[in-house]
Each structure stands twice: as C-alpha cells, then as structure tokens.
Amino acid sequence: MTQTPWQNLSALLANRPPLTRFAPSPTGHLHLGHIASALYVWSIAKAVQGEVLLRIEDHDRGRCHKIFEEGIFDDLYWLGFIHEDPKVRESADSSPSHPHIMRQSEREDRYREVLNDLWNRSLVYACDCSRKAIFERSDWKNSTELIYDGHCRHRQLKPEPNRGLRLKIDSKPIRFFDAKQGWQEQNPAEQCGDFLIRERNGYWTYNFAVTVDDSDQGINLIVRGEDLLHATARQLYLRELLKNPNPVVFFHHPLIKDSTGEKKLSKIDQAESLKTMRWNGKSPQTLIGEVMFLLGLNASADRPLTLDEACHNLIIPSP
Ligand code: GLU
Ligand code: ZN
C-alpha cells in the first residue's frame, strides 16, 4: 500500500472529507474474512483521517437474521473496531455523537421513492423471466455472469408480484479509480445487461440498495473485498442516475483464502466463526495476528498483533 496515491485522495474526492463504511450482511456469523475487511476499512480511514459508518445490509430478508446482526456488533466491539456496542447505544437515547446505524430493512420508503423516480423516467421495466429461462436463451453459457438479453425491455409488463424490476442499461464504458487495483474500466451492458434492482420475490437487490445507501450517506471512499470489483461500474451507473455528482474512490482489497489457499473464505463453506474461536479462548490480538498472517503482513500466524499494530502494518507493510 505504500504505492497507493493517498496523497492525491483529497483532489480525487474534490476536497470532501473521506467517508467510508463497513457494511456486513447479517446472513451468518463473522469469520476471519470479515476481520480482514474491517482491518482494511478502519486502517484506511485512519490513514486518511476519514470516518467509518456502520451499515447493516439486510436487504435479503430471507437470509438475514437479527441474531447475526447482534453477533456482528458484539464481535466488532470485542475486536476493538467500535468503542461501544450499538445495541447498548440504541437502547439509550440517541445523541448526535452516536449516529444511528443504517439498516437496509428500514429503508423501504426511500427505495420506493427512488424506484418511482426511475420508473417515471422510463428507466426501469418489469421482467418475468426466470434465471433458467435467461440461461437457456443465453449465448454466454460459459461466461462467469449471466447476461440478461433485454427480453422484457419492450413488453411493457406491469410491475406485479413475481416480476422483477430491471434497469435499462446503455452500453458505455465506465472508468473509476481503485487505489489498490489502479484505473478500471467496465461496461455493465457487456458484463450483465439490464440488471435487477428488485428481485422477483420483492427483495431489493444488493446493487440497488448499496448504491442508494452509499449515495444518501455521502460515502466517497468504498473499501471492500475484490470479489465485488466487477459490480462497481453498475453501481456507478446507477449512482449517476441518482444525480449524485460527488466523486467516489474505491479500494478493493485482497481476500484471505480457505485452508486450501484456493477459494475465498465464506459463510457457505462453513468458515469457522469468530464466535467459535472466541469460545475456544482466542483473544482479539491472536485473531488479528492470524488474519494479518493470511494477508501476508505478519511474519507468523502465532504472533499476536494489536489493532493499532495491524493498522500500521496495513498502511506501511514491513519490508
Ligand atoms: N454487504 C456486502 C457483504 O457483506 C458488502 C457490500 C459492499 O461493501 O459493497 O459482502
Ligand atoms: Zn425478462
């Protein structure tokens, strides 16, 4: 990270103070991959004197549970990223120094407002295609992403239950600056076609909710895993339609891998949760040391590191 042009950040952000966020989805317990992500978010914020907001991305109501949200707060507090457990904070009177935590499940009215605006501008249409139908029509069976072929663009379907809502995408390359990966160019029309903003089951999609939230909260520094790099241009496309002119800089960080070194750690693979590790007596410093080792920034997995040491190492890796 020594080569990252943080010195130019202010100009890239049009002199606005850096504001970033940590935005976990409460679909399971946190694991080491989340610690890696949180370390990047908080250490970068610290390095650029920015602020971190916490957002609970519970747009997928079928998979998100309150118990996991509470677990996230608890783990972040235990690790030292936040200095107070929001559960405690929220049960007391909210004071201005304790900004309310954004939850996507509480943003229905705002998402509807944005949808209505896009609908009235004829930028959104209803679609009744199943994934299977799109796949069968597709010429891109070997591509990593399914590309929607625009089948329903001109069918003028009504937005009824069991129909998704898609954004009309013009083919155009979108450029953005990533402080880790360098300048990037992506064309959503070629990557995925008209993408869903609301699923057929009525849930808002990740891309839609995250873009409206980032825009509304004034987030201008997005630090997240490199598995989301491919989705960035479609979020910027949407952000432009929200008429948010403020520039955003990204930092897509490397992911830590599972024990085979092949795949990223994920809840689906039953990555051991922090809860279990805590239960087994590991300290925050031990876990932070382990994560830093997996990121290649600690000489040994058994060398504990404090949060401050880890933040320092992430910004100035030891030679
Ligand atoms: N909620 C997403 C996740 O937990 C992160 C989204 C983002 O940072 O844009 O993977
Ligand atoms: Zn369709």
Side-chain angles (χ1 to χ4, degrees):
M1 263 174 62
T2 34
Q3 299 97 328
T4 55
W6 295 122
Q7 60 275 28
N8 297 335
L9 188 68
S10 188
L12 286 165
L13 297 181
N15 296 320
R16 286 192 169 70
L19 182 61
T20 187
R21 80 303 196 269
F22 184 64
S25 302
T27 55
H29 290 300
L30 297 191
H31 52 69
L32 294 184
H34 294 101
I35 303 191
S37 216
L39 282 171
Y40 276 106
V41 169
W42 267 278
S43 64
I44 289 171
K46 194 170 166 190
V48 301
Q49 281 139 21
E51 200 192 327
V52 182
L53 300 183
L54 194 55
R55 181 195 306 146
I56 297 296
E57 299 217 323
D58 52 358
H59 58 98
D60 183 342
R61 297 195 303 268
R63 291 174 57 227
C64 294
H65 299 287
K66 206 73 187 165
I67 183 97
F68 294 132
E69 177 188 301
E70 289 174 3
I72 290 171
F73 293 154
D74 191 44
D75 286 338
L76 291 177
Y77 177 61
W78 180 74
L79 288 160
F81 289 109
I82 54 178
H83 303 296
E84 193 179 5
D85 185 334
K87 290 194 290 300
V88 178
R89 174 194 305 181
E90 286 180 345
S91 58
D93 279 348
S94 56
S95 73
S97 59
H98 295 156
H100 181 70
I101 294 195
M102 182 179 269
R103 286 185 186 82
Q104 293 183 328
S105 56
E106 294 170 357
R107 305 251 304 145
E108 186 65 24
D109 292 351
R110 173 61 181 145
Y111 298 150
R112 277 187 185 278
E113 182 182 59
V114 175
L115 167 64
N116 287 341
D117 175 55
L118 296 172
W119 183 270
N120 293 336
R121 289 155 69 197
S122 302
L123 293 168
V124 171
Y125 60 93
C127 160
D128 61 2
C129 302
S130 63
R131 265 188 83 77
K132 186 165 172 279
I134 302 168
F135 184 77
E136 281 167 1
R137 287 199 304 266
S138 166
D139 295 331
W140 297 83
K141 295 194 171 49
N142 296 323
S143 73
T144 46
E145 261 194 274
L146 196 53
I147 300 174
Y148 183 67
D149 58 358
H151 183 77
C152 297
R153 228 188 211 229
H154 304 293
R155 289 176 68 208
Q156 300 196 315
L157 297 175
K158 291 209 164 58
E160 287 171 357
N162 210 25
R163 288 184 179 161
L165 295 170
R166 292 186 182 271
L167 190 70
K168 278 184 202 162
I169 293 290
D170 289 332
S171 180
K172 62 171 180 187
I174 295 181
R175 260 167 77 74
F176 56 92
F177 183 69
D178 189 294
K180 176 73 181 167
Q181 325 268 348
W183 281 97
Q184 303 285 310
E185 191 174 289
Q186 298 171 354
N187 184 343
E190 288 169 7
Q191 292 177 295
C192 60
D194 295 345
F195 60 85
L196 283 167
I197 65 171
R198 209 172 69 188
E199 307 274 3
R200 289 175 74 201
N201 62 13
Y203 298 167
W204 302 100
T205 61
Y206 155 67
N207 280 312
F208 179 73
V210 82
T211 307
V212 177
D213 296 349
D214 282 334
S215 174
D216 286 359
Q217 288 192 299
I219 302 294
N220 57 9
L221 177 58
I222 296 183
V223 179
R224 61 185 175 198
E226 63 189 12
D227 53 333
L228 291 169
L229 179 64
H230 72 284
T232 301
R234 62 200 84 165
Q235 294 174 16
L236 286 170
Y237 192 106
L238 188 50
R239 191 172 171 115
E240 203 178 303
L241 297 177
L242 301 178
K243 305 200 172 88
N244 184 335
N246 299 330
V248 203
V249 164
F250 295 85
F251 186 102
H252 285 94
H253 64 76
L255 303 173
I256 58 176
K257 305 286 194 310
D258 68 1
S259 48
T260 64
E262 302 271 302
K263 285 188 295 157
K264 71 160 188 158
L265 276 179
S266 78
K267 290 165 223 170
I268 300 156
D269 300 324
Q270 310 274 297
E272 200 183 354
S273 74
L274 298 191
K275 287 269 167 297
T276 315
M277 300 186 218
R278 281 173 67 171
W279 185 253
N280 289 335
K282 298 222 177 168
S283 69
Q285 294 74 23
T286 310
L287 292 180
I288 290 171
E290 245 174 74
V291 170
M292 290 297 282
F293 172 74
L294 293 169
L295 289 170
L297 295 167
N298 189 9
S300 144
D302 302 324
R303 182 166 159 245
L305 288 177
T306 64
L307 190 50
D308 277 351
E309 286 167 333
C311 286
H312 181 82
N313 287 8
L314 270 178
I315 301 301
I316 312 165
S318 42

